Amino acid sequence: MNNFNFQNKTAIRFGKNVIDTELHDAVAQFGQRVLLVFGGGSIKQSGLYDRVRDALADLEVVELSGIAPNPKIDSVRAGQDLVKTHDIDVVLAVGGGSVIDAAKVIASSKFYDADPWDLVVASSKRYEIAQLPVVDILTLSATGTEMNVGSVISNPETNQKLGTGGPNSPAVSFLDPTLTFSVSPWQTAAGAIDIFSHLTEQYFDQTPNDVTSGMMAGLYRAVIKNAPIALANPNDYDARAALMWASTMALNGLVDVGNTNGWTVHPIEHELSAYYDITHGVGLGIMTPRWMQRSLSAETQPRFAQFGREVWGLTGDDATVAQGAIQATFDWIKSLNVPTTLPGVGITDDTHFDAMANSAVTVGHLDQAAYVTLQPQDVVALFQAAMTDDGFVK
Ligand code: NZQ
Ligand code: ZN
């Protein structure tokens, strides 16, 4: 196990209707002037918007709406204007990962006097400046942003989608599984696959340890079991609760301590989202089984076999279990009714394969730090493999 530091300062308020009694004080502890950040309208349809406004009735609330999936830098720029103009004290993000990610960078941008895209390109700048406290109400189980310092912001002008970290994770995150009852089947599946992928990025590691491996195996099993239940019955509280807490636990830093942490499929998917604006979790679901096939070798077979036994409950010799685990991963993703090929999300030719592969390798350091290192031509081969479902039993 490698040396590590672990600290997470996010306060979690988990459960039904906690916002009605606890939101006001959680926000007001930081001041009176609030920037309320939300997305395209789901919180108005669900009635959550009215509950939030009621809870904050005695505070000065300024709004920034319309944060899009794969949040764009223009929204962050608009937020920067508002936090500066209104001398905002605290940012309240109500929505999925895109809203919370944008809110975190807006929270830093108050203390930066130039284009906030600089803060995305160079996270180091965010550690040199202050950051407003962020409180959030999570409405979609997927990213883990509710308890980590990460944000992923897109710049459509440059076809870039980049991760950035800041000094603070959200100060307080409200996790009420009932708020996810209204999430569409598409986003429910994508969110579950995102959680699965976060585990995969951390499970397949050059220096795994038994503590984090065991925790991840439990989280994997929770996601694999509960995603189909939530799809079949969107109002199943326990299934939604399991997905929500698994989302948080999979990416709050707890399960990667002591590991090397060389992520692969995320940098590759971020290129697909950057060029084609596809749903993050769906892109991960397309690329993950191909990445597994390409990564399986004599050297990695024992880890894939452990994955097959502990996560999928498979039995047999290592070679059989390792192969079976990859097929089981493909089957589970397919069972969630999302596309399993690039043409399924509208990517029908290889126009951008070289550019995306080069950028993925550069941004993600895939030729140096990945679990199995990849060169640009290897990433192109993964994209090509994802053009059809050949290679998997259908
Ligand atoms: O915009 P609204 O109207 O709210 O609708 C959203 C959006 O259209 C909708 N939605 C959210 N909650 C809902 C709901 N619809 C009905 N009922 C609800 N309760 O769902 C759509 C997608 O929302 P989005 O926030 O984009 O989804 P998600 O949470 O999956 O976030 C994806 C973004 O997070 C990034 C991804 O790359 C992507 O940009 N990630 C962030 C990470 C982090 N900060 O740690 C890590 C992840 O790996 C990921 O890269
Ligand atoms: Zn992800």
Side-chain angles (χ1 to χ4, degrees), residues 113-278:
D113 290 331
D115 184 359
W117 181 244
D118 302 345
L119 304 175
V120 178
V121 174
S123 288
S124 54
K125 289 188 195 295
R126 291 180 62 200
Y127 289 87
E128 294 162 8
I129 58 178
Q131 182 183 11
L132 288 173
V134 174
V135 176
D136 69 78
I137 303 173
L138 181 68
T139 65
L140 200 168
S141 305
T143 61
T145 187
E146 61 274 13
M147 203 173 179
N148 70 39
V149 299
S151 290
V152 189
I153 305 295
S154 293
N155 186 338
E157 284 169 22
T158 58
N159 281 332
Q160 283 174 295
K161 177 176 178 180
L162 300 177
T164 159
N168 295 316
S169 58
V172 187
S173 285
F174 285 86
L175 311 184
D176 179 344
T178 66
L179 298 177
T180 65
F181 287 175
S182 58
V183 176
S184 66
W186 175 271
Q187 291 293 344
T188 298
I193 296 166
D194 194 20
I195 302 167
F196 185 100
S197 175
H198 296 158
L199 296 169
T200 302
E201 302 276 23
Q202 297 167 103
Y203 188 91
F204 290 91
D205 190 88
Q206 284 165 0
T207 55
N209 67 73
D210 286 347
V211 178
T212 53
S213 294
M215 292 166 78
M216 283 191 268
L219 292 169
Y220 263 129
R221 291 196 297 267
V223 176
I224 291 165
K225 173 183 164 187
N226 286 289
I229 298 173
L231 285 174
N233 181 5
N235 291 6
D236 186 311
Y237 182 82
D238 288 331
R240 292 293 194 181
L243 291 173
M244 190 165 244
W245 191 227
S247 144
T248 309
M249 291 296 290
L251 201 53
N252 66 0
L254 202 56
V255 300
D256 71 17
V257 291
N259 289 358
T260 299
N261 288 311
W263 289 42
T264 312
V265 181
H266 269 68
I268 294 172
E269 193 295 312
H270 285 168
E271 296 300 324
L272 295 172
S273 294
Y275 277 79
Y276 296 98
D277 211 1
I278 66 169

Side-chain angles (χ1 to χ4, degrees), residues 294-366:
R294 198 170 178 89
S295 301
L296 178 59
S297 65
E299 199 185 334
T300 62
Q301 181 173 286
R303 189 61 170 169
F304 276 95
Q306 186 179 354
F307 171 65
R309 293 189 183 99
E310 295 181 353
V311 173
W312 293 106
L314 303 178
T315 56
D317 60 81
D318 274 11
T320 307
V321 172
Q323 285 287 358
I326 297 173
Q327 180 69 42
T329 299
F330 176 84
D331 290 343
W332 178 74
I333 292 164
K334 196 172 171 68
S335 78
L336 302 180
N337 291 320
V338 287
T340 54
T341 64
L342 291 177
V345 290
I347 303 172
T348 53
D349 61 51
D350 62 2
T351 307
H352 298 298
F353 283 8
D354 285 332
M356 293 191 296
N358 282 319
S359 181
V361 170
T362 306
V363 173
H365 307 292
L366 302 185

